[in-house]
């Protein structure tokens, strides 16, 4: 009898240990391939790229924050957290009207730009945290800020190639600023909208061929087949000219290489911020040799542009559903007859 009891106990212990191990392995909330987050009640732990944070919950939620990248502004405006921002760099590149109003009222300070941050002002304002993309050449600046007791959170959303994973950074901001429920609800709304639009796009039997980007100098940086752009084109039920490429990054190509790839292209998207096709030709006359330039449709990212700011690089970072909706409108306009483009604009 004792033998059977011992055997039962050992089996129970074995399964209990396996179950416990499984829980320990799965308690991280995965935001993307680069970002994970979890809370154990005492600390909020964040993995962001090569950086690991262990923030005492007693210091949360952050109430006074600074932003060093306009691309991160969209997460705060989406969650109506503009009043938590006390400093921002390069405000001329920020699109949000509310942010500019708060700057005008003196509630948000201009803290310089990437050429020269105003470190004295940053340190004097004593933010709870600074959010920024990581730039290796600024390590000395980051170290100086950290030595003054200021937390720097590196969030490199621009590295994300899955559109919805980029939107999911809302959950990170929600945890750090105490609006977890609002962030979850907002992300779920964006995801549901995106998924519905993706299904709508698949209802079209037409799958047009698409070219993207333009030349810079002597090279055409064509997004790879695993890039964010390629994902949007695929989800919008179109065929991307570089879809077979395995790269996540943009691939430098010559004009001749892209010319050969794009012979059948019907749409040319993300054509910079040009105002006319004539202006585009002035930059590179070779475009006139391309079929898509002469007979296709061209679209820029200037639908919501004002002076130096462009909302595609701000709210568009978060609103993957609206970006997808624009592409569906372009490739399959009959599916969204009453919708007007948000971020994109036809180039005439």
């Amino acid at each position: 009898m004792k033998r059977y009891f011992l055997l039962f106990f050992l089996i129970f212990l074995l399964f209990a240990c396996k179950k416990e191990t499984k829980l320990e392995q799965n308690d991280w909330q995965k935001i993307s391939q680069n970002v994970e987050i979890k809370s154990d009640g005492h600390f909020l732990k964040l993995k962001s790229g090569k950086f690991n944070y262990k923030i005492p919950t007693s210091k949360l939620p952050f109430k006074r924050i600074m932003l060093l990248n306009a691309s991160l502004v969209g997460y705060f405006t989406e969650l109506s957290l503009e009043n938590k921002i006390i400093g921002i760099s390069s405000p001329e590149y920020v699109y949000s009207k509310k942010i500019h109003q708060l700057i005008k009222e003196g509630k948000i300070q201009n803290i310089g730009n990437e050429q020269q941050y105003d470190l004295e002002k940053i340190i004097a304002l004593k933010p709870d945290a600074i959010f920024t993309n990581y730039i290796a050449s600024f390590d000395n600046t980051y170290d100086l800020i950290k030595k003054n007791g200021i937390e720097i959170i590196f969030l490199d959303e621009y590295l994300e190639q899955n559109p919805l994973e980029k939107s999911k950074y809302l959950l990170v901001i929600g945890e750090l600023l105490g609006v977890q429920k609002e962030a979850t609800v907002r992300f779920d709304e964006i995801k549901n909208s995106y998924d519905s639009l993706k299904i709508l796009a698949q209802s079209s039997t037409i799958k047009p061929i698409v070219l993207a980007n333009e030349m810079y100098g002597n090279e055409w940086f064509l997004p790879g087949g695993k890039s964010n752009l390629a994902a949007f084109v695929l989800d919008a039920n179109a065929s991307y000219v570089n879809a077979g490429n395995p790269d996540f990054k943009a691939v430098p190509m010559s004009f001749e290489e892209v010319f050969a790839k794009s012979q059948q292209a019907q749409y040319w998207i993300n054509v910079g911020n040009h105002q006319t096709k004539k202006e585009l030709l002035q930059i590179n006359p070779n475009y006139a040799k391309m079929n898509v330039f002469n007979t296709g449709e061209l679209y820029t990212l200037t639908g919501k542009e004002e002076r130096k700011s462009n909302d595609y690089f701000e709210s568009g970072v978060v609103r993957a559903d609206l970006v997808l909706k624009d592409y569906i409108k372009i490739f399959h306009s009959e599916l969204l007859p009453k919708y007007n483009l948000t971020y994109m604009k036809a180039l005439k």
Side-chain angles (χ1 to χ4, degrees):
M1 188 72 179
K2 286 183 179 180
R3 183 185 302 171
Y4 287 118
F5 175 80
L6 181 60
L7 180 62
F8 175 80
F9 178 76
L10 289 173
I11 292 172
F12 173 80
L13 188 63
L14 177 63
F15 277 100
C17 289
K18 285 186 177 179
K19 185 176 182 181
E20 184 179 353
T21 302
K22 186 176 181 181
L23 286 172
E24 287 177 356
Q25 291 174 344
N26 293 335
D27 56 0
W28 283 91
Q29 182 179 14
K30 186 175 180 179
I31 303 299
S32 71
Q33 295 296 325
N34 302 308
V35 177
E36 292 182 286
I37 194 167
K38 77 170 180 176
S39 176
D40 62 10
H42 300 288
F43 295 93
L44 182 69
K45 298 177 182 179
L46 170 65
K47 297 177 183 178
S48 182
K50 66 178 183 178
F51 299 98
N52 293 287
Y53 301 90
K54 188 176 180 181
I55 305 168
T57 52
S58 59
K59 292 186 176 182
L60 298 174
F62 292 142
K63 296 178 181 178
R64 293 163 50 82
I65 62 97
M66 288 182 176
L67 301 177
L68 300 186
N69 294 91
S71 62
L72 295 174
V73 171
Y75 296 103
F76 290 83
T77 57
E78 194 66 35
L79 296 173
S80 300
L81 294 171
E82 295 94 337
N83 291 322
K84 303 293 184 182
I85 302 171
I86 63 169
I88 199 162
S89 71
S90 303
E92 66 272 20
Y93 292 105
V94 174
Y95 185 86
S96 167
K97 289 180 173 57
K98 185 168 183 180
I99 294 287
H100 283 289
Q101 182 60 36
L102 290 171
I103 292 172
K104 187 176 180 181
E105 294 171 3
K107 295 177 181 177
I108 296 179
Q109 299 296 312
N110 182 347
I111 51 175
N113 53 51
E114 290 183 357
Q115 280 69 49
Q116 187 173 1
Y117 292 122
D118 191 334
L119 292 177
E120 289 186 7
K121 184 182 286 188
I122 290 172
I123 293 168
L125 286 169
K126 297 179 180 178
D128 294 334
I130 292 175
F131 291 81
T132 184
N133 296 155
Y134 174 70
I135 301 174
S137 59
F138 291 165
D139 275 340
N140 290 337
T141 299
Y142 300 146
D143 288 341
L144 181 58
I145 292 172
K146 290 175 184 177
K147 286 177 182 177
N148 280 273
I150 300 171
E151 187 82 64
I152 300 182
I153 307 293
F154 296 112
L155 292 175
D156 294 331
E157 86 299 327
Y158 68 94
L159 295 176
E160 304 298 345
Q161 304 307 327
N162 181 308
L164 283 174
E165 287 184 351
K166 190 176 290 193
S167 301
K168 202 173 181 180
Y169 275 50
L170 282 169
L171 303 187
V172 178
I173 302 301
E175 287 287 343
L176 293 170
L177 277 86
V179 289
Q180 297 93 330
K181 290 182 180 179
E182 294 89 338
T184 300
V185 168
R186 196 69 196 98
F187 172 69
D188 287 345
E189 289 172 346
I190 292 170
K191 183 180 185 302
N192 290 337
S193 174
Y194 190 99
D195 290 342
S196 296
L197 286 164
K198 184 177 174 180
I199 292 171
L200 175 66
Q202 298 306 312
S203 68
S204 175
T205 57
I206 301 169
K207 197 166 186 176
I209 300 173
V210 181
L211 172 66
N213 289 14
E214 60 176 304
M215 293 199 74
Y216 290 94
N218 296 319
E219 292 184 306
W220 193 310
F221 290 89
L222 197 63
K226 301 296 183 181
S227 66
N228 183 268
L229 184 281
F232 273 123
V233 174
L234 177 65
D235 290 346
N237 194 21
S239 180
Y240 176 47
V241 297
N242 207 28
N245 180 280
D247 284 295
F248 291 92
K249 299 179 181 179
V251 184
M253 295 186 180
S254 66
F255 174 81
E256 290 73 22
E257 288 176 302
V258 177
F259 179 84
K261 275 181 171 288
S262 62
Q263 285 295 301
Q264 304 302 317
Q266 299 148 279
Y267 294 92
W268 183 359
I269 59 173
N270 294 29
V271 193
N273 61 346
H274 306 290
Q275 301 303 312
T276 65
K277 291 176 70 174
K278 183 178 179 180
E279 179 185 317
L280 190 61
L281 278 184
Q282 289 173 347
I283 296 173
N284 195 323
N286 284 327
Y287 292 144
K289 302 175 183 177
M290 303 178 72
N291 292 333
V292 69
F293 180 87
N294 295 304
T295 62
E297 295 183 28
L298 282 65
Y299 289 86
T300 68
L301 299 172
T302 60
K304 292 185 73 176
E305 189 175 57
E306 191 168 330
R307 298 185 181 88
K308 292 183 178 181
S309 67
N310 188 324
D311 202 28
Y312 172 80
F313 300 106
E314 194 166 307
S315 74
V317 172
V318 185
R319 294 300 305 271
D321 58 328
L322 289 182
V323 175
L324 179 62
K325 197 170 187 178
D326 272 11
Y327 286 131
I328 295 173
K329 175 67 176 182
I330 291 170
F331 307 143
H332 310 287
S333 59
E334 74 284 355
L335 298 179
L336 296 167
K338 296 182 180 179
Y339 175 67
N340 295 317
L341 295 174
T342 300
Y343 301 111
M344 317 294 173
K345 186 177 179 181
L347 188 65
K348 303 295 185 181

